[in-house]
Structures are given as C-alpha cells and as structure tokens.
C-alpha cells in the first residue's frame, strides 16, 4: 500500500495549499491521514491508492472542520476540492508518479534491514501482521512497531527532502531577486 499512496503526498499537499489551508495545518492533515491509513488491518479493498489517499484526507479535513467552533463558510465548499474526478493520468503525471515511486522505493530500501523487510511485507505486500510475525518468528507487536517505525522514517525523510527543496527554491528566489535589483 505504501508505494501506492506515499508518492501522492506532494499532490495532496499542493491541493491543500490551493485550498488555502494553513501550512501548519497541512502537515497535521497529512500526518493524520497517514495514521488513519496505518491503522487499517486490511488494504486489499483499495483499488486506487491515490483516490483512497485523497478520500482519507478529505475525511480528516471534514473531521477537523467539525471540531472547530468557528467554521468559515468557504471551508465547506473547499472540502469538495479534494474529491477527485475520475480522470486518467496524462503523460506528465505518469512520469512524475514513476519518479516519485522510485523515490519511495529508495526510501524503503534505506530502512534498517528488519524494519525494511517488515515494512515491505506489511505495506507493500499487504500481508497480515500475524502472518509476518509467524514467518519471521517475532511477536505481532514487533511487526506493528517496525511497520510504524518504517513509516515514520519514510515520512521524516520525505519531510527533510521537502525542506531541502524549499530551501533550494528560496535560495534561487533570493538570487533572482538580487539580480533584479542590480
């Protein structure tokens, strides 16, 4: 499941930004969405990882709006922006998705050995915790802890890469601003 969902995080963040969701809220929404997905016992029903990820994020956003005491009238309309139209991906999106998938695979490959093995079986192969525990001769708690650890490490690496990209963009903007002033 991870390889079908994590590559779409950037698109989800971009969509939330276009909806004028505060930047600090975006991180919370994405994290809550991952937690919601990580708690699933079975993912075999998921056919389209992107659509499922966006739908889960929409649910998290709606729950947050319901918890707020003051609701902006436009926030309810904005929630509909997370609903995905059934559109086939264009060539640019396919290339972007392939690159993102390779990035996620590299992040999974960089996990510690046991963590990587468990994460792969749990999130990519969608094997039940019980089966993984039996195969590896460990408790289900170890499987759960290692799967969560793997997800956290991957999310941390993605966040660090995002900060690096933002820093590079900021540096580029500063250089361009300096050139325009001269």
């Amino acid at each position: 499941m991870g390889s079908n969902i994590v590559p779409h995080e950037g698109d989800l963040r971009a969509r939330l930004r276009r909806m004028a969701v505060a930047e600090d809220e975006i991180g919370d929404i994405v994290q809550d969405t991952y937690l919601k997905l990580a708690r699933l016992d079975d993912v075999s029903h998921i056919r389209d990882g992107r659509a499922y990820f966006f739908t889960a994020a929409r649910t998290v956003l709606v729950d947050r709006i319901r918890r707020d005491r003051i609701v902006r009238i436009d926030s309810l309309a904005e929630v509909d922006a997370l609903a995905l139209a059934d559109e086939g991906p264009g060539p640019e999106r396919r290339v972007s998705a392939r690159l993102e998938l390779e990035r996620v695979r590299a992040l999974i490959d960089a996990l510690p050995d046991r963590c990587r093995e468990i994460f792969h079986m749990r999130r990519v192969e969608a094997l039940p915790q019980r089966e993984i525990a039996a195969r590896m001769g460990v408790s289900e708690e170890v499987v759960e802890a290692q799967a969560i650890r793997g997800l956290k490490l991957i999310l941390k690496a993605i966040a660090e890469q995002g900060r690096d990209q933002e820093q590079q963009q900021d540096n580029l903007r500063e250089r361009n601003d300096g050139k325009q002033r001269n």
Side-chain angles (χ1 to χ4, degrees):
M1 176 175 83
S3 63
N4 293 323
I5 296 211
V6 175
H8 303 296
E9 179 181 339
D11 291 339
L12 176 60
R13 286 178 180 275
R15 176 87 47 103
L16 290 168
R17 277 187 199 100
R18 284 192 304 272
M19 292 170 54
V21 174
E23 196 63 36
D24 57 339
E25 286 275 323
I26 290 173
D28 291 343
I29 291 167
V30 171
Q31 181 65 26
D32 289 350
T33 303
Y34 277 125
L35 288 173
K36 182 180 184 92
L37 298 176
R39 290 185 180 125
L40 293 175
D41 291 329
D42 181 30
V43 294
S44 61
H45 64 283
I46 299 174
R47 297 290 175 241
D48 180 353
R50 177 182 167 81
Y52 197 89
F53 188 49
F54 274 70
T55 301
R58 182 177 189 271
T59 302
V60 167
L61 184 58
V62 168
D63 289 344
R64 284 174 161 272
I65 290 171
R66 285 184 184 140
R67 279 193 309 250
D68 288 344
R69 290 193 180 272
I70 300 171
V71 178
R72 292 183 355 226
I73 194 69
D74 57 342
S75 29
L76 296 175
E78 290 171 354
V79 169
D80 291 333
L82 276 178
L84 289 179
D86 188 18
E87 57 189 53
E92 297 87 12
R93 184 178 275 176
R94 275 189 237 120
V95 169
S96 175
R98 243 183 251 124
L99 292 172
E100 196 66 24
L101 180 58
E102 289 306 314
R103 180 176 145 214
V104 171
R105 282 185 180 149
L107 293 173
I108 292 171
D109 289 344
L111 292 173
D113 292 340
R114 183 166 86 167
C115 183
R116 179 183 61 242
E117 188 176 355
I118 289 173
F119 184 86
H120 188 272
M121 284 191 278
R122 184 74 179 115
R123 298 293 170 210
V124 178
E125 295 177 29
L127 295 176
Q129 283 184 188
R130 183 172 292 144
E131 184 177 334
I132 297 168
R135 279 187 190 185
M136 297 188 72
V138 298
S139 69
E140 287 186 53
E141 289 79 18
V142 168
V143 171
E144 181 177 4
Q146 289 295 308
I148 290 171
R149 178 180 178 216
L151 180 60
K152 286 180 179 178
L153 289 170
I154 289 171
L155 292 174
K156 181 180 176 186
I158 288 171
E160 288 170 357
Q161 289 175 351
R163 281 192 295 273
D164 290 346
Q165 287 175 344
E166 286 176 18
Q167 184 62 45
Q168 289 172 356
Q169 290 173 351
D170 288 345
N171 292 344
L172 184 60
R173 275 189 221 108
E174 286 174 13
R175 273 188 261 139
N176 288 338
D177 289 346
K179 288 178 183 176
Q180 288 175 356
R181 286 184 203 127
N182 294 334

